[in-house]
Amino acid sequence: MLFINVPSSSENGTKYQVTTNSTIAHEFQHMINYNMRATNGVSEDLWVNEGLAQVAEDVCGYGYHTGANTGVINAFLGNFSSYSLLKHESPLASYGFDYLFVRYLIDRGVTPKDLLNTNLIGVANVEAVLNGKRISPYFI
Protein backbone atom coordinates (compact mmCIF):
# COMPACT_ATOMS: atom_id res chain seq x y z
CA MET A 1 0.00 0.00 0.00
CA LEU A 2 1.29 3.43 -0.90
CA PHE A 3 0.56 6.54 1.16
CA ILE A 4 1.66 10.01 0.01
CA ASN A 5 0.97 13.52 1.23
CA VAL A 6 -1.29 15.65 -0.92
CA PRO A 7 0.87 18.23 -2.75
CA SER A 8 0.79 21.85 -1.65
CA SER A 9 -2.34 23.80 -2.57
CA SER A 10 -0.11 26.09 -4.65
CA GLU A 11 0.39 23.17 -7.01
CA ASN A 12 -2.79 22.83 -9.00
CA GLY A 13 -3.84 21.73 -12.45
CA THR A 14 -1.12 20.15 -14.58
CA LYS A 15 1.64 20.80 -12.03
CA TYR A 16 -0.40 19.02 -9.35
CA GLN A 17 -0.98 16.04 -11.65
CA VAL A 18 2.69 15.77 -12.70
CA THR A 19 3.94 16.13 -9.12
CA THR A 20 1.52 13.52 -7.81
CA ASN A 21 2.12 11.06 -10.62
CA SER A 22 5.90 11.43 -10.54
CA THR A 23 5.86 10.84 -6.78
CA ILE A 24 3.74 7.71 -7.22
CA ALA A 25 6.14 6.38 -9.92
CA HIS A 26 9.14 7.18 -7.69
CA GLU A 27 7.72 5.50 -4.60
CA PHE A 28 6.32 2.53 -6.53
CA GLN A 29 9.86 1.81 -7.76
CA HIS A 30 10.99 1.73 -4.13
CA MET A 31 8.28 -0.85 -3.40
CA ILE A 32 9.36 -2.97 -6.38
CA ASN A 33 13.02 -2.59 -5.41
CA TYR A 34 12.31 -3.66 -1.85
CA ASN A 35 10.30 -6.69 -3.00
CA MET A 36 12.94 -7.81 -5.52
CA ARG A 37 15.82 -7.27 -3.13
CA ALA A 38 14.11 -8.80 -0.09
CA THR A 39 13.56 -11.92 -2.21
CA ASN A 40 17.35 -12.11 -2.65
CA GLY A 41 18.03 -11.25 1.00
CA VAL A 42 19.79 -7.94 0.32
CA SER A 43 19.09 -4.22 0.40
CA GLU A 44 20.36 -2.09 -2.50
CA ASP A 45 22.67 0.85 -1.84
CA LEU A 46 20.72 4.08 -1.53
CA TRP A 47 22.37 5.79 -4.52
CA VAL A 48 21.27 3.00 -6.91
CA ASN A 49 17.79 2.78 -5.37
CA GLU A 50 17.22 6.55 -5.58
CA GLY A 51 18.64 6.71 -9.11
CA LEU A 52 16.22 4.00 -10.21
CA ALA A 53 13.34 5.83 -8.51
CA GLN A 54 14.17 9.06 -10.35
CA VAL A 55 14.40 7.14 -13.66
CA ALA A 56 11.02 5.51 -12.89
CA GLU A 57 9.53 8.99 -13.14
CA ASP A 58 10.94 9.26 -16.68
CA VAL A 59 9.75 5.79 -17.69
CA CYS A 60 6.21 6.62 -16.54
CA GLY A 61 6.18 9.90 -18.45
CA TYR A 62 6.60 12.29 -15.51
CA GLY A 63 10.35 12.81 -15.39
CA TYR A 64 12.82 15.36 -16.64
CA HIS A 65 10.93 16.21 -19.83
CA THR A 66 7.98 17.44 -17.71
CA GLY A 67 10.18 19.35 -15.29
CA ALA A 68 9.77 16.83 -12.47
CA ASN A 69 13.52 16.14 -12.13
CA THR A 70 14.89 19.56 -13.04
CA GLY A 71 15.17 20.65 -9.41
CA VAL A 72 17.40 17.75 -8.40
CA ILE A 73 19.51 18.00 -11.55
CA ASN A 74 20.01 21.75 -11.22
CA ALA A 75 20.89 21.37 -7.54
CA PHE A 76 23.59 18.84 -8.43
CA LEU A 77 24.99 20.74 -11.43
CA GLY A 78 25.14 23.93 -9.36
CA ASN A 79 27.61 22.37 -6.91
CA PHE A 80 28.62 18.98 -8.32
CA SER A 81 32.09 18.89 -6.78
CA SER A 82 30.56 18.68 -3.29
CA TYR A 83 28.96 15.26 -3.74
CA SER A 84 30.04 11.65 -4.01
CA LEU A 85 27.93 9.24 -6.03
CA LEU A 86 28.53 6.44 -3.54
CA LYS A 87 27.50 8.51 -0.52
CA HIS A 88 23.89 9.56 -0.95
CA GLU A 89 23.08 12.53 1.25
CA SER A 90 19.85 14.36 2.01
CA PRO A 91 20.21 17.40 -0.26
CA LEU A 92 18.37 17.36 -3.57
CA ALA A 93 21.74 17.40 -5.32
CA SER A 94 22.40 13.79 -4.27
CA TYR A 95 19.17 12.76 -5.99
CA GLY A 96 20.35 14.62 -9.08
CA PHE A 97 23.68 12.79 -9.08
CA ASP A 98 21.95 9.42 -8.57
CA TYR A 99 19.49 10.18 -11.35
CA LEU A 100 22.08 11.32 -13.88
CA PHE A 101 24.26 8.26 -13.29
CA VAL A 102 21.44 5.71 -13.52
CA ARG A 103 19.95 7.58 -16.51
CA TYR A 104 23.40 7.28 -18.15
CA LEU A 105 23.35 3.52 -17.54
CA ILE A 106 19.82 3.20 -18.94
CA ASP A 107 20.78 5.21 -22.01
CA ARG A 108 23.67 2.78 -22.59
CA GLY A 109 21.43 -0.32 -22.57
CA VAL A 110 21.11 -1.26 -18.90
CA THR A 111 17.51 -1.92 -17.84
CA PRO A 112 16.09 -1.32 -14.37
CA LYS A 113 15.41 -5.07 -14.17
CA ASP A 114 19.13 -5.74 -14.74
CA LEU A 115 19.90 -3.79 -11.57
CA LEU A 116 17.09 -5.40 -9.55
CA ASN A 117 17.23 -9.09 -10.38
CA THR A 118 20.43 -9.90 -8.48
CA ASN A 119 21.83 -10.35 -5.00
CA LEU A 120 24.70 -7.93 -5.75
CA ILE A 121 24.51 -4.36 -4.49
CA GLY A 122 26.02 -0.98 -5.27
CA VAL A 123 29.24 -0.85 -7.26
CA ALA A 124 29.45 -4.66 -7.58
CA ASN A 125 25.92 -4.71 -8.99
CA VAL A 126 26.66 -1.99 -11.58
CA GLU A 127 29.98 -3.58 -12.58
CA ALA A 128 28.37 -7.01 -13.03
CA VAL A 129 25.61 -5.58 -15.20
CA LEU A 130 28.08 -3.61 -17.33
CA ASN A 131 30.31 -6.65 -17.76
CA GLY A 132 27.35 -8.89 -18.56
CA LYS A 133 26.18 -6.49 -21.26
CA ARG A 134 29.75 -5.86 -22.48
CA ILE A 135 29.45 -2.13 -21.80
CA SER A 136 32.73 -0.39 -21.02
CA PRO A 137 33.03 0.31 -17.29
CA TYR A 138 35.33 3.26 -18.02
CA PHE A 139 32.52 5.55 -19.16
CA ILE A 140 34.45 7.28 -21.94
Side-chain angles (χ1 to χ4, degrees), residues 46-106:
L46 193 54
W47 62 275
V48 176
N49 195 350
E50 289 299 341
L52 285 167
Q54 295 295 127
V55 168
E57 297 175 27
D58 285 352
V59 170
C60 292
Y62 301 102
Y64 184 76
H65 57 286
T66 66
N69 286 330
T70 55
V72 297
I73 292 168
N74 291 340
F76 170 68
L77 294 177
N79 196 14
F80 62 87
S81 63
S82 298
Y83 299 95
S84 166
L85 177 63
L86 305 181
K87 184 182 177 194
H88 180 87
E89 299 173 23
S90 298
L92 289 178
S94 282
Y95 291 89
F97 201 169
D98 302 341
Y99 166 74
L100 290 172
F101 182 76
V102 173
R103 180 80 247 178
Y104 178 86
L105 295 176
I106 300 297

Side-chain angles (χ1 to χ4, degrees), residues 10-38:
S10 66
E11 296 181 10
N12 51 42
T14 302
K15 183 173 175 138
Y16 173 86
Q17 185 177 20
V18 168
T19 301
T20 302
N21 291 339
S22 66
T23 300
I24 290 170
H26 181 106
E27 298 306 330
F28 194 70
Q29 186 288 142
H30 286 309
M31 292 190 315
I32 292 168
N33 194 311
Y34 174 81
N35 184 60
M36 294 289 292
R37 303 318 234 127

